[in-house]
Amino acid sequence: MNKIAILCSGGDVSGMNPAIKRFVEYSFEQGLKPYFVYGGFDGLIDNTIKEAGYSDVAGIIHRGGTKIYSARSTRFKEEKFRAIAAKNLRTLGIDKLVVLGGDGSFHGMELFFKEQNISFCGIPSTIDNDINGTQYCLGVDTALNVIKTATDNIRDTASSFKRAFVIEVMGRDCGYLALVSALTSGAEMCLIPEIPYDLDTIKKRFLREVKEGRNYFIAVVAEGLKNSQEIAQWFEKEIGFESRVTVLGHIQRGGNPTVRERLMAYQFTTYAIDALCSGQKDSVICYSNGAFESKSIKEITTKKYEIGEELLTLGKRLLQK
Ligand code: ATP
């Protein structure tokens, strides 16, 4: 029986557990013996690789995080440790690997494949949604829903007081989460690294709106700008509103996977196993314009992700109202 393994690398996301469940079930359906690598790339190096069965994935579909743990491995960045990782897989007779991870993990896998020729298929998994070649990464929908709930709650309190709330949203250098959150939560302001802004222009509009009766503000700011406190002070000084900063932080990674997330996990994993079974050696499953497609890892890693023009235009309009 051919053997296949799965691992999670980088930041954990909600949706990994449903993917792991589908992995076990679909592997069996395809006549493959499934294995879990516990603890990401460190698990490959330390040989924490175990055969998996149906009972391992019972009762996990609704849980955030990952049952098989994730890791950021500094050792995997060194060739000698990647060689140990490959040796461990070969000793167990595993020649196919499904990798759930972000941009960094895929750079690691590109090197690993070049050096060791072990077939892998990547499933984009990061709440930052910053992987080139795919419009969707696992974890994003759940994170957006967590942010939506938090922002709705903040709006309740904001509307009871004359205050400005600055909500800092994750995404590393990518403003996708902040932009979609701002558009879908009715924020008055959205600041992200991808859209230049002019505080003087925004000030004129806000002061006019205050005159017309506005008595609170919600501003969504991407963590990549590193200026949430500064924006809060700007509200106090320039707009004359008492302000509060809420850094949403790690709550954005948790929460039980949404329906969309579970379906995406199911489909991503099915496509990943199909890609490996059809002989593809170094691919990533991407989701664009409503369809799944397998792309070579080179296509993914040679360019930086950019938010789609249509969304960016909506973000710009929000600033120019
Ligand atoms: P997230 O977007 O959630 O942070 P990520 O996959 O981008 O996920 P990273 O911490 O950047 O998270 O990368 C995960 C792991 O991938 C690293 O700990 C390291 O083991 C490996 N990795 C990252 N970049 C490289 C690289 N250039 N060469 C080899 N391995 C790498």
Side-chain angles (χ1 to χ4, degrees):
M1 207 176 192
N2 283 330
K3 297 174 180 177
I4 185 167
I6 190 168
L7 66 80
C8 300
S9 173
D12 63 290
V13 305
S14 194
M16 284 176 163
N17 277 331
I20 291 164
K21 179 176 163 65
R22 177 64 183 157
F23 168 79
V24 169
E25 292 170 354
Y26 194 53
S27 293
F28 283 130
E29 257 180 73
Q30 295 302 305
L32 299 164
K33 196 183 266 190
Y35 282 74
F36 288 160
V37 180
Y38 289 88
F41 293 147
D42 276 341
L44 280 184
I45 297 164
D46 298 330
N47 208 9
T48 48
I49 307 170
K50 305 229 159 54
E51 204 179 321
Y54 289 117
S55 61
D56 293 309
V57 292
I60 66 166
I61 200 163
H62 61 299
R63 294 194 186 281
T66 160
K67 174 166 177 136
I68 61 173
Y69 310 114
S70 190
R72 298 192 197 274
S73 166
T74 44
R75 286 181 294 164
F76 198 74
K77 291 185 175 173
E78 291 181 48
E79 188 172 352
K80 66 175 179 192
F81 287 109
R82 291 195 293 270
I84 295 172
K87 187 166 163 268
N88 288 335
L89 285 171
R90 284 204 187 94
T91 304
L92 286 165
I94 298 168
D95 61 357
K96 294 180 184 63
L97 193 56
V98 174
V99 175
L100 278 73
D103 202 37
S105 305
F106 291 166
H107 275 102
M109 282 314 296
E110 191 177 21
L111 284 176
F112 188 60
F113 176 73
K114 267 189 203 150
E115 292 160 7
Q116 303 296 337
N117 199 27
I118 290 179
S119 301
F120 79 95
C121 183
I123 296 179
S125 308
T126 169
I127 66 166
D128 302 339
N129 209 40
D130 62 351
I131 299 180
N132 174 49
T134 186
Q135 288 169 354
Y136 189 80
C137 299
L138 211 57
V140 169
D141 192 59
T142 309
L144 285 172
N145 276 283
V146 168
I147 298 167
K148 178 207 72 173
T149 304
T151 309
D152 288 350
N153 290 353
I154 287 171
R155 184 177 293 283
D156 286 344
T157 169
S159 57
S160 313
F161 272 89
K162 188 178 171 239
R163 273 185 186 157
F165 277 84
V166 176
I167 303 173
E168 185 182 300
V169 166
M170 272 185 171
R172 284 211 204 179
D173 298 327
C174 177
Y176 181 89
L177 274 193
L179 176 53
V180 174
S181 298
L183 293 172
T184 54
S185 63
E188 282 67 48
M189 185 183 197
C190 172
L191 303 182
I192 62 171
E194 293 86 345
I195 301 179
Y197 58 88
D198 173 32
L199 286 178
D200 289 336
T201 311
I202 299 172
K203 178 179 165 181
K204 279 185 201 132
R205 168 164 60 97
F206 281 4
L207 290 179
R208 191 186 66 234
E209 289 179 4
V210 170
K211 253 194 202 155
E212 289 164 3
R214 173 177 294 290
N215 66 354
Y216 71 92
F217 291 94
I218 302 274
V220 177
V221 176
E223 71 171 344
L225 287 173
K226 298 186 175 64
N227 65 355
S228 306
Q229 293 295 342
E230 211 179 286
I231 296 299
Q233 281 157 17
W234 176 83
F235 270 109
E236 302 242 346
K237 200 165 152 253
E238 304 292 336
I239 312 296
F241 270 57
E242 198 182 329
S243 67
R244 296 283 184 275
V245 176
T246 302
V247 180
L248 294 183
H250 282 79
I251 63 161
Q252 293 162 97
R253 282 198 188 285
N256 75 346
T258 61
V259 169
R260 175 163 199 233
E261 205 77 84
R262 295 179 200 200
L263 186 59
M264 293 303 282
Y266 196 97
Q267 291 175 286
F268 266 128
T269 311
T270 306
Y271 277 96
I273 293 176
D274 283 344
L276 286 165
C277 289
S278 71
Q280 292 182 44
K281 288 175 170 295
D282 58 344
S283 62
V284 173
I285 304 300
C286 296
Y287 181 80
S288 299
N289 303 322
F292 289 88
E293 185 190 351
S294 130
K295 296 187 181 173
S296 85
I297 186 80
K298 234 193 251 153
E299 261 186 88
I300 307 302
T301 52
T302 44
K303 245 185 89 190
K304 258 188 82 135
Y305 170 81
E306 284 174 15
I307 299 177
E309 234 2 270
E310 208 177 326
L311 262 186
L312 277 182
T313 304
L314 296 177
K316 284 176 193 160
R317 281 198 203 139
L318 182 64
L319 281 179
Q320 289 158 1
K321 261 203 288 195

